[in-house]
Amino acid sequence: MLDQIDALRRQAETDLHAAGDSSALERFRVTYLARKGKIAELFDALRSVPADQRPLLGKHLNDLRTSVQALFDQRLAAAASHVQAAPALDLTLPGRRPPLGSRHPLTQVLDEIKAVFVSMGFGVADGPEIEDDYHNFGALNFPPDHPARDMQDTFFLNRTALLRTHTSPVQIRVMKEHAPPVRVIMPGKVYRNEAISARSYCLFHQVEGLHVDVGVTFSDLKGTLISFIKQFYGSATKYRFRPTFFPFTEPSADIYISCFVCGGKGCRLCKQIGWLEILGCGMVDPNVFKAVGYDSERYTGYAFGMGIERIALLRHGIDDIRLFYENDLRFLNQF
Ligand code: DAH
């Protein structure tokens, strides 16, 4: 019986050690210390032991019960203080709101421009940012000695690959892939080797447009772009077309709108001229059609290109283009 008492003590100590939470502790209490527990069983067995051995065994049994009870009480107290030490859980507190992102101001402008042109029946296409001389310049009728082909203005990755300097090469890719009619806008990032300042950055965004079909005229160009200006800048906006030159269009024009800060009187924003230049456009040069295999006797078309940063700068009165690329939340949270 002495062996049994020792074995039970060791078993009880192991079990108590393993009891990790309050329900395990309660199971321990029922198994060992309760009225029908294992210790009580041994007390019952004491009755059938010869009378002369009873006092000694009884003393051992009492010791066992006292020490197991003491160990148990200790563990119970420790578990209770552990529960109290944890911070009180207030289930009525409102939840924590996860911080919400917002659309970048350039994305907002781009989405609005897309919405206007999509509503006029344009599709949306894109092309690679790494281009070659042929798509970025050659097929767009740039002469071999054009200054844009210089390392000063263009980032060359190696002898043949460069970062596109405008979205116009996507025109070439679209026309090489699709027979006319085509009517698409082509938004994307472009890169220029400029000194970085508040006014210019090595990277910016453009939206290119192209419409080619039988019988497309300069009137279609004007109608479409004037409609864009009225929808995007407001129906009271005044505009003017001024002739200019691009290798890939003939004739070519720059479009200006009346300055929306001073209404045309002249201010710092419009550099006192009352007009803001917003895009370049023109009728696709027949040489471009030749490069992509379109019949320039049968088809005509217009193209246009505009910068996105400038629009966002003007709209929000932002005076430093670099802010768009720094990802400073104090700036971005305002949009
Ligand atoms: N590619 C010109 C630029 O980067 C913008 C442009 C002007 C695009 C006239 C056109 C266009 O498609 O017709 O400055």
Side-chain angles (χ1 to χ4, degrees):
M1 175 126 191
L2 218 47
D3 287 348
Q4 268 180 299
I5 295 173
D6 271 349
L8 193 59
R9 179 194 302 276
R10 265 180 271 120
Q11 184 64 46
E13 281 170 4
T14 317
D15 283 0
L16 191 57
H17 192 70
D21 57 18
S22 58
S23 68
L25 283 173
E26 176 58 10
R27 257 181 278 124
F28 177 89
R29 191 190 66 74
V30 170
T31 310
Y32 288 94
L33 295 165
R35 258 201 303 147
K36 296 205 166 126
K38 291 189 174 177
I39 295 176
E41 269 172 27
L42 281 186
F43 272 105
D44 287 345
L46 200 57
R47 269 184 241 133
S48 50
V49 166
D52 59 335
Q53 295 178 16
R54 254 180 242 159
L56 181 68
L57 288 172
K59 183 178 169 325
H60 277 289
L61 260 181
N62 270 326
D63 282 354
L64 174 68
R65 185 170 55 192
T66 321
S67 69
V68 170
Q69 181 72 51
L71 277 176
F72 173 78
D73 290 345
Q74 239 175 43
R75 283 294 305 258
L76 201 63
S81 73
H82 190 68
V83 167
Q84 268 167 16
L89 186 59
D90 183 350
L91 294 174
T92 64
L93 282 176
R96 281 192 201 113
R97 192 181 290 274
L100 273 188
S102 57
R103 282 182 312 148
H104 193 279
L106 294 177
T107 308
Q108 291 179 18
V109 169
L110 197 57
D111 286 349
E112 281 178 45
I113 294 173
K114 273 192 214 163
V116 172
F117 282 105
V118 167
S119 78
M120 292 195 281
F122 283 74
V124 180
D126 63 9
E129 288 169 28
I130 296 177
E131 271 293 6
D132 50 28
D133 179 277
Y134 174 76
H135 289 89
N136 197 75
F137 298 123
L140 287 162
N141 200 33
F142 279 76
D145 54 354
H146 194 282
R149 289 181 131 141
D150 197 286
M151 304 252 290
Q152 298 276 306
D153 298 286
T154 300
F155 290 112
F156 285 88
L157 301 175
N158 55 38
R159 266 173 205 290
T160 50
L162 51 85
L163 293 178
R164 68 181 179 194
T165 59
H166 52 176
T167 42
S168 303
V170 189
Q171 287 187 34
I172 302 301
R173 292 187 178 274
V174 167
M175 287 191 281
K176 285 213 158 195
E177 212 158 279
H178 301 279
V182 297
R183 189 149 52 135
V184 286
I185 57 166
M186 296 150 273
K189 291 191 180 79
V190 304
Y191 301 83
R192 288 190 198 170
N193 192 359
E194 310 243 12
I196 291 171
S197 71
R199 297 185 147 264
S200 63
Y201 200 64
C202 50
L203 146 78
F204 58 101
H205 294 74
Q206 289 186 332
V207 175
E208 190 83 11
L210 177 69
H211 179 189
V212 182
D213 202 346
V214 174
V216 174
T217 67
F218 202 88
S219 297
D220 295 306
L221 178 158
K222 286 184 74 178
T224 303
L225 293 178
I226 291 167
S227 171
F228 164 72
I229 289 167
K230 301 263 168 184
Q231 288 183 64
F232 189 81
Y233 290 98
S235 53
T237 310
K238 288 202 233 97
Y239 52 84
R240 71 179 184 183
F241 287 63
R242 296 184 84 198
T244 186
F245 174 80
F246 298 107
F248 36 88
T249 46
E250 180 61 31
S252 306
D254 280 328
I255 304 185
Y256 293 70
I257 58 168
S258 52
C259 177
F260 43 71
V261 169
C262 62
K265 283 195 214 74
C267 69
R268 218 165 56 105
L269 181 66
C270 60
K271 299 202 199 102
Q272 312 303 332
I273 58 172
W275 296 94
L276 299 166
E277 190 206 319
I278 54 155
L279 61 80
C281 58
M283 300 305 289
V284 179
D285 193 291
N287 284 337
V288 174
F289 284 149
K290 209 178 291 164
V292 298
Y294 276 15
D295 179 355
S296 63
E297 294 296 319
R298 190 161 139 75
Y299 296 105
T300 51
Y302 61 84
F304 57 89
M306 65 183 107
I308 304 304
E309 274 73 0
R310 214 175 117 74
I311 296 174
L313 286 172
L314 294 174
R315 166 181 288 189
H316 298 293
I318 297 165
D319 58 8
D320 192 330
I321 194 169
R322 291 170 293 195
L323 286 166
F324 290 132
Y325 299 100
E326 285 166 355
N327 283 334
D328 185 334
L329 286 179
R330 291 169 301 179
F331 173 72
L332 295 176
N333 279 339
Q334 298 176 53
F335 302 96

